[in-house]
Amino acid sequence: MPLGATSKLQLPDGTHVWLNSGSTLTYPLSFRKHHTRLVELHGEGYFKVAKDKTAPFIVDMADMDVKVTGTVFNARAYDDEAYATVALVEGSVELGSEANKGKEFTKYESLRPYEVAFLDKRDNQLKIEAKSDLDKYTAWREGRTVFDNDPIEIVADKFEKLFNVNVKIQSKDLLQYRFTATFVNETLERALKILSISSPIHYKIIEAKKDSNGAYGKRTIILSKANNTIN
């Protein structure tokens, strides 16, 4: 899935999947000859899994795998992000590690509806939190990006996928701040403007340059702490 775009597809078993910007999903042409329905996700996907108790549905996300028989959940596991998350909308899921093409599954934890699992890939620490609202994790399907008390690293990660840019956090002071905002189909410039109005952030956009083949790379966004001193 190209950066800055989303898509919806139906798998051979009837499962519906929405893919977020910069995501890929690998799956077989048919699940009929398999004991499990194994797919591989790099990025973010919203799954409405078709029920089949005889063939568990397994999402291989490299650092944290998900096993279900029929349920609705959102999973985010970009290779370049420090965290992987699974938010359960309805049904139940098992979190663990798959092996042998899905024939083996080692269960670590399980989720109940409106619980979210966070895996810190840097130290392999897993925590589970109960939420009253999952809009923050599922709103992207409707073109909305929701931040709710999120650190700047999360904001930067989502901006990179949403707008196909590189984001550099220049000021370490920004790491102590939390951000709450909702963006609805905003342009990059508009989103940065909103961010700077609602928080002590100064931003600079460095336009993309042509490479030796004449193709443009990504724009770079430099984030620093705003200087509010009046001279």
Side-chain angles (χ1 to χ4, degrees), residues 61 63-66 73-77 82-89 93-96 108-121 125-131 134 137:
M61 301 193 302
D63 297 283
M64 176 172 60
D65 303 330
V66 181
F73 64 96
N74 192 86
R76 184 181 179 99
Y83 292 90
T85 63
V86 176
L88 181 59
V89 179
V93 304
E94 294 181 358
L95 306 175
Y108 301 147
E109 296 286 351
S110 59
L111 292 183
R112 296 178 179 179
Y114 282 75
E115 288 186 335
V116 182
F118 303 88
L119 176 69
D120 189 332
K121 296 189 285 187
Q125 292 297 308
L126 177 67
K127 67 176 182 179
I128 297 173
E129 297 180 0
K131 303 291 184 179
L134 296 180
Y137 306 95

Side-chain angles (χ1 to χ4, degrees), residues 35-98:
H35 297 290
T36 61
R37 295 172 286 167
L38 178 64
V39 302
E40 183 177 342
L41 174 69
H42 293 274
E44 184 167 26
Y46 183 93
F47 294 82
K48 285 189 175 181
V49 179
K51 293 183 179 180
D52 186 349
K53 294 183 178 181
T54 64
F57 189 93
I58 298 176
V59 182
D60 183 341
M61 301 193 302
D63 297 283
M64 176 172 60
D65 303 330
V66 181
K67 179 181 179 181
V68 304
T69 55
T71 189
V72 182
F73 64 96
N74 192 86
R76 184 181 179 99
Y78 286 97
D79 296 337
D80 62 346
E81 294 183 358
Y83 292 90
T85 63
V86 176
L88 181 59
V89 179
E90 62 182 57
S92 63
V93 304
E94 294 181 358
L95 306 175
S97 178
E98 71 86 15

Side-chain angles (χ1 to χ4, degrees), residues 142-145 182-187 190 194:
E142 302 167 352
R144 294 184 293 120
T145 301
T182 298
F183 301 105
V184 182
N185 296 322
E186 306 287 359
T187 63
R190 175 62 179 166
I194 294 173

